[in-house]
Amino acid sequence: MIAHWPIRQTVVVVYLLVCKFLQGTPPSPFLRLSSIDVIITTDPGSIPGYGTSNGSDSKKLRVEDRMEAPPSRVLHIRKLPNETSETEVIALGLPFGKVTNILTLKGKNQAFLELGTEEAAITMVNYYSTVTPHVRNVPVFIQYSNHKELKTDAVSAVQGGGTPTSGSDLALTAASSPVLRIIIDNMFYPVTLDVLQQIFSKFGTVMKIITFTKNNQFQALLQFNDPSTAQQAKIALDGQNIYNSCCTLRIDYSKLVNLNVKYNNDKSRDYTRPELPAGDGQPAMDPNMAAAFQGKDSNSLLGKIPGALSPLNAAAAAAAAAGRVALSGHSGSSGVLLASNLNEEMVTPQSLFTLFGVYGDTQRVKILYNKKDSALIQMADASQAQLAMSHLNGQKMYGKVIRVALSKHTSVQLPRDGLDDQGLTKDFTNSPLHRFKKPGSKNFQNIFPPSTTLHLSNIPTDVTEEDLRLLFSNAGGTVNAFKFFQDHKMALLQMSTVEEAIQGLIDLHNYNMGDNHHLRVSFSKSSI
């Protein structure tokens, strides 16, 4: 039977007598005295069955309430406030050791927390027996669970409202996959596979990474060696910025439990199989770029990126930001790119200047004389080169998927005087069309991956929606949607495919609309 103590003072007296009986040893929440189970607590309302039920407790005592559960690394936490987050529950356990799993039963204001060891759980229970735990200033009740571990099947059954009981075959669940799905929001600077590896490896062994673009967003799948490490990384990094005020990590668990990586290159990597090929048309990691990510110069980044991944220590923050070494020009890598698999019948220096100019000021373009499906493109600096590579590698231009990689060349050489190279090389150094010449230009804040939606600006007041739809349709493709901004000087225009949008930008950026109004075209992150 359970002794219910009607007043707080009596509970405290019993508590002190038991402490004396144990010669000062803090008692666990359940102590067997003769045939009576006495619940030691300073909160009478937390005693099962005491007072009126509040919807988070059943009117009948559950099995775990009726029995004295032996020590377990799984703890049952009850009377949680409404809308308590997993992070708040985990915070109760972190001072005592590694938290390896969690299951919240939000409809019942309860949670199950699994610690790394039984010793950590015992320490936690003993501590909270003497110091009442609070979540959002509300006292909560913690006891051992009859479950020895949180298992990973029957997710829907548990979350649908079922309450685990002793002897039940119903399994508890939480994060079960070692694979995380990562989305980068506000990616104003390039985030590469190696940057992700540097950040996430601080929590455990990163086995595999696959990066890709979906819904016009840079995404990645990253596999740890075990689910608990994945959970720790998610808790610490979800919502954090890689760089100050941008490149925000959005992390969730993947339904996959194992990644199948075929190639080791700048898009995918299996760290357990270094012998994998780079793959057809996929560049392997440039040695200069690899060196940049392995740089350990403490002066290269820290202090320049305030607020980057604040939960991590200085060393981790340096590693997280290692990708900025090349951006700052400290790695020795140049601003020259090699674009390959181009449509040699269609591509021109001007078209490459316009497309790559979305991500930086293109200085020179040289289509290779003996390999006209490849070109060298010199950007203003290494930062802009990496931006262009990050956003344009794998995009379709003139019907072909182009490949963009860092070049070993440090500059693009102009043809010697008097030598006719058939117009394959062009110098754009003094072009008035550079988007990023002015320091602090708003264009720096509007760098987005190629998308179906184009942002149009500098539109004359007498130009109509029909005029612009016809203009872009004639460039090739279908205009799916259109929207003027309030002042009619800007608009959003949506093509049916990203390739059509790329084509429209190449053909119509700087198009003369009359009266010296030159149309400005860029990619947009918005949709219509």
Side-chain angles (χ1 to χ4, degrees), residues 463-470 481-484:
V463 170
T464 66
E465 176 181 336
E466 288 71 24
D467 294 333
L468 291 168
R469 281 179 173 268
L470 180 62
F482 184 92
K483 178 184 177 182
F484 262 125

PDB file of all heavy atoms in Angstrom, residues 463-470 481-484:
ATOM      1  N   VAL A 463       6.096  49.222 -68.998  1.00  0.00           N
ATOM      2  CA  VAL A 463       6.183  47.810 -69.390  1.00  0.00           C
ATOM      3  C   VAL A 463       5.148  47.008 -68.598  1.00  0.00           C
ATOM      4  O   VAL A 463       5.042  47.134 -67.375  1.00  0.00           O
ATOM      5  CB  VAL A 463       7.604  47.260 -69.140  1.00  0.00           C
ATOM      6  CG1 VAL A 463       7.640  45.752 -69.315  1.00  0.00           C
ATOM      7  CG2 VAL A 463       8.594  47.924 -70.084  1.00  0.00           C
ATOM      8  N   THR A 464       4.389  46.175 -69.299  1.00  0.00           N
ATOM      9  CA  THR A 464       3.310  45.413 -68.670  1.00  0.00           C
ATOM     10  C   THR A 464       3.740  43.976 -68.372  1.00  0.00           C
ATOM     11  O   THR A 464       4.795  43.515 -68.826  1.00  0.00           O
ATOM     12  CB  THR A 464       2.079  45.372 -69.579  1.00  0.00           C
ATOM     13  OG1 THR A 464       2.417  44.621 -70.765  1.00  0.00           O
ATOM     14  CG2 THR A 464       1.638  46.778 -69.972  1.00  0.00           C
ATOM     15  N   GLU A 465       2.892  43.284 -67.623  1.00  0.00           N
ATOM     16  CA  GLU A 465       3.136  41.873 -67.344  1.00  0.00           C
ATOM     17  C   GLU A 465       3.203  41.073 -68.637  1.00  0.00           C
ATOM     18  O   GLU A 465       4.054  40.181 -68.790  1.00  0.00           O
ATOM     19  CB  GLU A 465       2.021  41.322 -66.444  1.00  0.00           C
ATOM     20  CG  GLU A 465       2.134  39.826 -66.180  1.00  0.00           C
ATOM     21  CD  GLU A 465       1.021  39.281 -65.303  1.00  0.00           C
ATOM     22  OE1 GLU A 465       0.422  40.057 -64.522  1.00  0.00           O
ATOM     23  OE2 GLU A 465       0.748  38.061 -65.390  1.00  0.00           O
ATOM     24  N   GLU A 466       2.312  41.398 -69.574  1.00  0.00           N
ATOM     25  CA  GLU A 466       2.294  40.671 -70.856  1.00  0.00           C
ATOM     26  C   GLU A 466       3.599  40.866 -71.615  1.00  0.00           C
ATOM     27  O   GLU A 466       4.110  39.936 -72.257  1.00  0.00           O
ATOM     28  CB  GLU A 466       1.109  41.149 -71.709  1.00  0.00           C
ATOM     29  CG  GLU A 466      -0.251  40.696 -71.217  1.00  0.00           C
ATOM     30  CD  GLU A 466      -0.676  41.406 -69.932  1.00  0.00           C
ATOM     31  OE1 GLU A 466      -0.169  42.536 -69.664  1.00  0.00           O
ATOM     32  OE2 GLU A 466      -1.488  40.834 -69.178  1.00  0.00           O
ATOM     33  N   ASP A 467       4.160  42.069 -71.556  1.00  0.00           N
ATOM     34  CA  ASP A 467       5.438  42.339 -72.228  1.00  0.00           C
ATOM     35  C   ASP A 467       6.548  41.432 -71.672  1.00  0.00           C
ATOM     36  O   ASP A 467       7.324  40.846 -72.438  1.00  0.00           O
ATOM     37  CB  ASP A 467       5.843  43.805 -72.038  1.00  0.00           C
ATOM     38  CG  ASP A 467       4.897  44.780 -72.730  1.00  0.00           C
ATOM     39  OD1 ASP A 467       4.271  44.379 -73.731  1.00  0.00           O
ATOM     40  OD2 ASP A 467       4.769  45.912 -72.245  1.00  0.00           O
ATOM     41  N   LEU A 468       6.596  41.330 -70.361  1.00  0.00           N
ATOM     42  CA  LEU A 468       7.662  40.541 -69.743  1.00  0.00           C
ATOM     43  C   LEU A 468       7.447  39.049 -69.948  1.00  0.00           C
ATOM     44  O   LEU A 468       8.393  38.295 -70.175  1.00  0.00           O
ATOM     45  CB  LEU A 468       7.756  40.877 -68.257  1.00  0.00           C
ATOM     46  CG  LEU A 468       8.270  42.290 -67.954  1.00  0.00           C
ATOM     47  CD1 LEU A 468       8.054  42.654 -66.484  1.00  0.00           C
ATOM     48  CD2 LEU A 468       9.751  42.411 -68.305  1.00  0.00           C
ATOM     49  N   ARG A 469       6.197  38.598 -69.871  1.00  0.00           N
ATOM     50  CA  ARG A 469       5.919  37.189 -70.151  1.00  0.00           C
ATOM     51  C   ARG A 469       6.355  36.826 -71.572  1.00  0.00           C
ATOM     52  O   ARG A 469       6.985  35.780 -71.795  1.00  0.00           O
ATOM     53  CB  ARG A 469       4.427  36.903 -69.982  1.00  0.00           C
ATOM     54  CG  ARG A 469       3.970  36.726 -68.528  1.00  0.00           C
ATOM     55  CD  ARG A 469       2.480  36.478 -68.468  1.00  0.00           C
ATOM     56  NE  ARG A 469       2.015  36.153 -67.123  1.00  0.00           N
ATOM     57  CZ  ARG A 469       1.911  34.915 -66.629  1.00  0.00           C
ATOM     58  NH1 ARG A 469       2.253  33.878 -67.383  1.00  0.00           N
ATOM     59  NH2 ARG A 469       1.470  34.704 -65.398  1.00  0.00           N
ATOM     60  N   LEU A 470       6.038  37.676 -72.528  1.00  0.00           N
ATOM     61  CA  LEU A 470       6.394  37.413 -73.932  1.00  0.00           C
ATOM     62  C   LEU A 470       7.906  37.414 -74.109  1.00  0.00           C
ATOM     63  O   LEU A 470       8.470  36.566 -74.814  1.00  0.00           O
ATOM     64  CB  LEU A 470       5.744  38.460 -74.832  1.00  0.00           C
ATOM     65  CG  LEU A 470       6.016  38.309 -76.331  1.00  0.00           C
ATOM     66  CD1 LEU A 470       5.457  36.984 -76.854  1.00  0.00           C
ATOM     67  CD2 LEU A 470       5.403  39.481 -77.111  1.00  0.00           C
ATOM     68  N   ALA A 481       4.292  31.680 -63.794  1.00  0.00           N
ATOM     69  CA  ALA A 481       3.644  32.644 -62.900  1.00  0.00           C
ATOM     70  C   ALA A 481       4.393  33.963 -62.949  1.00  0.00           C
ATOM     71  O   ALA A 481       5.566  34.026 -63.336  1.00  0.00           O
ATOM     72  CB  ALA A 481       3.619  32.108 -61.465  1.00  0.00           C
ATOM     73  N   PHE A 482       3.692  35.008 -62.559  1.00  0.00           N
ATOM     74  CA  PHE A 482       4.275  36.352 -62.592  1.00  0.00           C
ATOM     75  C   PHE A 482       3.650  37.186 -61.484  1.00  0.00           C
ATOM     76  O   PHE A 482       2.460  37.056 -61.186  1.00  0.00           O
ATOM     77  CB  PHE A 482       4.027  37.030 -63.947  1.00  0.00           C
ATOM     78  CG  PHE A 482       4.669  38.379 -64.089  1.00  0.00           C
ATOM     79  CD1 PHE A 482       5.929  38.508 -64.626  1.00  0.00           C
ATOM     80  CD2 PHE A 482       4.004  39.524 -63.665  1.00  0.00           C
ATOM     81  CE1 PHE A 482       6.534  39.756 -64.748  1.00  0.00           C
ATOM     82  CE2 PHE A 482       4.594  40.775 -63.774  1.00  0.00           C
ATOM     83  CZ  PHE A 482       5.863  40.896 -64.316  1.00  0.00           C
ATOM     84  N   LYS A 483       4.457  38.067 -60.883  1.00  0.00           N
ATOM     85  CA  LYS A 483       3.939  38.939 -59.835  1.00  0.00           C
ATOM     86  C   LYS A 483       4.738  40.234 -59.803  1.00  0.00           C
ATOM     87  O   LYS A 483       5.952  40.234 -59.624  1.00  0.00           O
ATOM     88  CB  LYS A 483       4.038  38.235 -58.471  1.00  0.00           C
ATOM     89  CG  LYS A 483       3.559  39.082 -57.302  1.00  0.00           C
ATOM     90  CD  LYS A 483       3.791  38.339 -55.987  1.00  0.00           C
ATOM     91  CE  LYS A 483       3.386  39.192 -54.782  1.00  0.00           C
ATOM     92  NZ  LYS A 483       3.650  38.492 -53.504  1.00  0.00           N
ATOM     93  N   PHE A 484       4.036  41.362 -59.986  1.00  0.00           N
ATOM     94  CA  PHE A 484       4.669  42.670 -59.849  1.00  0.00           C
ATOM     95  C   PHE A 484       4.783  43.040 -58.375  1.00  0.00           C
ATOM     96  O   PHE A 484       3.917  42.721 -57.567  1.00  0.00           O
ATOM     97  CB  PHE A 484       3.832  43.748 -60.543  1.00  0.00           C
ATOM     98  CG  PHE A 484       4.311  44.116 -61.922  1.00  0.00           C
ATOM     99  CD1 PHE A 484       3.450  44.040 -63.013  1.00  0.00           C
ATOM    100  CD2 PHE A 484       5.612  44.557 -62.130  1.00  0.00           C
ATOM    101  CE1 PHE A 484       3.876  44.385 -64.281  1.00  0.00           C
ATOM    102  CE2 PHE A 484       6.045  44.909 -63.399  1.00  0.00           C
ATOM    103  CZ  PHE A 484       5.175  44.818 -64.479  1.00  0.00           C
TER     104      PHE A 484
END
